[in-house]
Amino acid sequence: MDISTFLAAHQLPESYRDIAQKWFIPLADEIHEHQDSAKKPFFVGVNGCQGSGKSTLCDFLVFYLSEFKKLNVVSLSLDDFYLDKSSRNALAIKVHPLLATRGVPGTHDVSLAQTTFDRLRGYGTVSIPRFNKAIDNPFPVVEWPVIHSPPDIVLVEGWCWGVKPQTKAKLAEPVNALEHDEDPLGTWRNYVNKQLADSYQALFEQMSFWVMLKAPSFDQVYNWRKEQEHKLAAKLGSSEAHSGIMTDLEIERFIQHYQRLTEQSLETLPPQCNYVYHLDETRQITHVEKAV
């Protein structure tokens, strides 16, 4: 089986060929088996912290299932449903200043996500939302890719995708300096938790199959996120239009927004997943756990 075109398109090392063969082709084949007897489209949820490789995994699944199984596969990211800057600034004024920063539940357009899911189940054409992180705003609607629906498989990936809300007891204590200094009353984290409980669970319940890329701990996220940002900066170059690129210090503060729910997912999500890939500090898979 030749995946050379995929490796070249994604600038991946030759070693990824063995990784795909050992770990991801069996996953793709199982998704195909489930999809074959399911009503279209078959929704697959993919969870992983920042920099864990979710996007590359989903890109490979799209490539393999479309190229070798002749399926129509669509890949969505929770990131592409972020609210625009002005909407987040309005939340920052109304609820809490930390909501100006994209990332946590409450900073996504959940109704747009549900509408997109609904349209993917129907017949016709569907515009797939896309968010431009370099400028911290969605791409114009006219630039969104358009696909013919319904696809055979819909992949949905996100850093907090599938995570359950926390108890009040867990919300009481700050988990880092950001929460301690900027959310001393817990207003922000309680609002985020309420959004997660109220509107996100209905989206999660529509997934028929779950995959998790499980980091060894949250400590790895800073280094992985730095790598992501450096790659984005190198790709885009320096200009006013790319002012959303973060420095390492900004990343250090930024990822603290994600710590609470990333740790919650590492602790609570694996039992509900069909496949859990355990990663080491270098993002290499050490082993996989499959649901019986």
Side-chain angles (χ1 to χ4, degrees):
M1 181 178 303
D2 188 7
I3 66 167
S4 299
T5 54
F6 177 80
L7 298 179
H10 291 78
Q11 299 181 318
L12 292 168
E14 188 63 27
S15 58
Y16 193 87
R17 190 186 301 272
D18 294 332
I19 293 169
Q21 187 71 46
K22 181 177 182 180
W23 302 111
F24 299 147
I25 289 176
L27 166 65
D29 287 341
E30 185 162 336
I31 290 172
H32 176 229
E33 286 176 22
H34 283 281
Q35 175 274 331
D36 198 36
S37 59
K39 183 179 177 182
K40 289 203 309 185
F42 185 70
F43 280 81
V44 177
V46 179
N47 174 282
C49 64
Q50 293 186 330
S52 60
K54 300 183 300 299
S55 298
T56 305
L57 170 57
C58 287
D59 287 346
F60 177 75
L61 292 174
V62 171
F63 168 80
Y64 177 84
L65 291 167
S66 58
E67 189 78 11
F68 299 105
K69 302 298 182 181
K70 305 307 177 186
L71 297 176
N72 181 10
V73 188
V74 174
S75 183
L76 307 176
S77 172
L78 178 62
D79 291 358
D80 285 317
F81 294 99
Y82 281 133
L83 294 167
D84 61 26
K85 256 190 210 176
S86 63
S87 298
R88 285 182 275 122
N89 286 336
L91 279 174
I93 294 167
K94 183 180 177 181
V95 182
H96 193 283
L98 286 176
L99 291 169
T101 301
R102 60 178 159 85
V104 295
T107 64
H108 302 95
D109 189 338
V110 175
S111 63
L112 176 60
Q114 184 57 65
T115 298
T116 303
F117 287 4
D118 291 342
R119 287 179 177 162
L120 286 167
R121 290 191 181 94
Y123 287 87
T125 56
V126 184
S127 294
I128 305 300
R130 290 291 184 252
F131 190 88
N132 188 345
K133 291 181 179 178
I135 62 170
D136 203 17
N137 264 315
F139 280 102
V141 176
V142 293
E143 295 181 22
W144 293 0
V146 176
I147 64 105
H148 294 286
S149 187
D152 298 301
I153 295 171
V154 177
L155 307 172
V156 189
E157 57 97 344
W159 73 275
C160 64
W161 199 244
V163 180
K164 301 292 186 188
Q166 292 188 299
T167 62
K168 284 190 175 182
K170 281 203 168 184
L171 290 166
E173 292 298 319
V175 298
N176 54 36
L178 179 86
E179 290 190 0
H180 181 273
D181 298 340
E182 300 184 46
D183 187 37
L185 301 178
T187 306
W188 172 71
R189 55 187 182 267
N190 275 279
Y191 176 83
V192 169
N193 200 63
K194 186 174 188 306
Q195 298 307 304
L196 181 61
D198 289 351
S199 54
Y200 286 67
Q201 300 305 312
L203 295 176
F204 302 160
E205 287 165 7
Q206 295 169 64
M207 304 299 108
S208 299
F209 193 96
W210 282 96
V211 180
M212 183 180 192
L213 295 171
K214 187 176 185 291
S217 72
F218 183 76
D219 294 339
Q220 299 307 315
V221 178
Y222 174 56
N223 291 329
W224 292 355
R225 189 63 181 81
K226 268 199 308 183
E227 287 177 20
Q228 278 187 318
E229 205 72 10
H230 293 172
K231 283 181 182 177
L232 184 61
K235 179 181 176 182
L236 297 174
S238 58
S239 74
E240 286 292 321
H242 304 138
S243 57
I245 302 294
M246 290 182 283
T247 65
D248 289 356
L249 274 176
E250 288 170 331
I251 292 168
E252 188 174 357
R253 179 181 180 277
F254 179 67
I255 64 165
Q256 291 185 56
H257 294 77
Y258 293 75
Q259 182 172 349
R260 174 176 292 278
L261 290 182
T262 297
E263 291 179 339
Q264 168 80 346
S265 73
L266 293 175
E267 181 184 338
T268 64
L269 192 61
Q272 79 177 52
C273 293
N274 301 83
Y275 273 65
V276 179
Y277 293 100
H278 292 259
L279 310 179
D280 65 15
E281 291 80 2
T282 64
R283 269 195 301 260
Q284 296 303 303
I285 298 169
T286 60
H287 63 288
V288 61
E289 286 182 284
K290 300 182 195 177
V292 179

